[in-house]
């Protein structure tokens, strides 16, 4: 259960590698508590609950790896079957930061699988192998990009309350970076069309209490 609160959404002041779509920084109020998975949805959880994917994963060998090669569209049937949902982009970043205003909620090698420590062969690692953030959430940074519910849109300076992004658009958002990312941060954004999937596109489930 993620408690309500306020945070500054967007590029941290000392993040010199932040892109223009991570700005301007703006205040967000999350006024309602929500549930969020401790880890990305795993291959075991996906294959147990979803019936639409043609293959459970590009990276075989461990059911404890995050599921990937799933599109936003494919996730919708999983959510229908389970009663879960994707987090909004604001919920995701709020939970990822867990009270931190820094680009990362800890030392990168301690909290994430990324390009510098992924090892060979290049692939996902099991969940729960790195340190969690202050809310007890694992792998928010690195390992697998995570889909959010919102359509992609530019930020403004206005204070937002439970923002859900634009009403329409051509692309949804992935957050958090992945195992082959050179740069990772809590504010990174990757817009992709809803049918897009690749060997790094996964997700984390949310639920409204």
């Amino acid at each position: 259960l993620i408690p309500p609160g306020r945070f500054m959404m967007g590029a941290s002041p000392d993040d010199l590698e932040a892109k223009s779509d991570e700005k301007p920084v703006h205040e967000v109020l999350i006024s309602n508590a929500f549930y969020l998975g401790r880890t990305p949805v795993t291959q075991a959880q996906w294959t147990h609950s979803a019936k639409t994917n043609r293959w459970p994963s590009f990276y075989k060998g461990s059911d404890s790896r995050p599921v990937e090669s799933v599109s936003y569209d494919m996730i919708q049937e999983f959510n229908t079957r389970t009663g879960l949902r994707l987090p909004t982009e604001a919920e995701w970043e709020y939970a990822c930061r867990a009270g931190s205003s820094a680009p990362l909620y800890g030392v990168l090698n301690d909290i994430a699988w990324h390009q510098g420590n992924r090892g060979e062969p290049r692939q996902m690692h099991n969940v729960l192998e790195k340190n969690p953030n202050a809310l007890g959430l694992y792998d928010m940074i690195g390992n697998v990009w995570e889909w959010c519910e919102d359509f992609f849109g530019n930020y403004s300076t206005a204070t937002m309350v439970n923002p859900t992004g634009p009403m329409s658009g051509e692309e949804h958002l992935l957050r958090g970076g992945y195992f082959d990312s050179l740069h990772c941060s809590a504010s990174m954004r990757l817009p992709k069309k809803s049918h897009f999937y690749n060997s790094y596109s996964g997700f984390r489930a949310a639920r409204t209490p």
Side-chain angles (χ1 to χ4, degrees):
L1 184 67
I2 309 300
R6 296 178 181 271
F7 77 110
M8 299 304 294
M9 185 170 181
S12 301
D14 55 346
D15 188 354
L16 302 180
E17 299 185 63
K19 297 180 180 179
S20 59
D21 66 1
E22 300 170 42
K23 303 171 184 178
V25 179
H26 54 290
E27 186 178 34
V28 169
L29 168 63
I30 303 295
S31 65
N32 301 309
F34 61 98
Y35 287 103
L36 191 65
R38 285 201 309 149
T39 72
V41 170
T42 64
Q43 295 178 28
Q45 292 167 332
W46 175 266
T47 55
H48 178 73
S49 300
K51 308 297 182 183
T52 57
N53 201 359
R54 291 169 290 174
W55 56 90
S57 174
F58 185 80
Y59 303 104
K60 311 288 187 180
S62 175
D63 286 345
S64 294
R65 290 182 181 138
V67 70
E68 28 65 29
S69 301
V70 292
S71 68
Y72 173 92
D73 290 338
M74 293 162 66
I75 293 166
Q76 303 314 301
E77 183 167 336
F78 175 93
N79 287 342
T80 298
R81 289 178 180 274
T82 59
L84 301 172
R85 63 175 176 84
L86 287 172
T88 67
E89 186 183 21
E91 286 175 337
W92 188 95
E93 186 171 328
Y94 172 68
C96 177
R97 290 187 176 280
S100 173
S101 61
L104 299 168
Y105 52 82
V107 177
L108 182 58
N109 281 343
D110 294 342
I111 66 172
W113 292 112
H114 61 99
Q115 189 181 92
N117 68 358
R118 64 168 191 256
E120 296 294 340
R122 295 167 56 198
Q123 63 182 16
M124 302 290 171
H125 287 257
N126 290 345
V127 299
L128 301 173
E129 291 184 343
K130 292 295 184 178
N131 294 339
N133 68 10
L135 290 171
L137 304 174
Y138 293 80
D139 297 297
M140 294 294 293
I141 300 295
N143 218 11
V144 64
W145 282 101
E146 300 181 12
W147 284 104
C148 291
E149 182 61 35
D150 306 35
F151 285 109
F152 172 75
N154 292 321
Y155 291 157
S156 75
T157 57
T159 296
M160 307 292 289
V161 179
N162 304 321
T164 56
M167 295 296 294
S168 62
E170 295 186 354
E171 297 173 306
H172 289 273
L173 280 153
L174 293 133
R175 300 294 302 263
Y178 77 120
F179 68 91
D180 208 18
S181 293
L182 181 62
H183 171 63
C184 297
S185 77
S187 61
M188 288 177 63
R189 311 172 81 200
L190 181 65
K192 292 291 183 182
K193 294 184 183 298
S194 64
H195 58 76
F196 168 86
Y197 63 86
N198 206 325
S199 59
Y200 52 76
S201 59
F203 71 109
R204 186 179 301 257
R207 181 165 64 85
T208 302

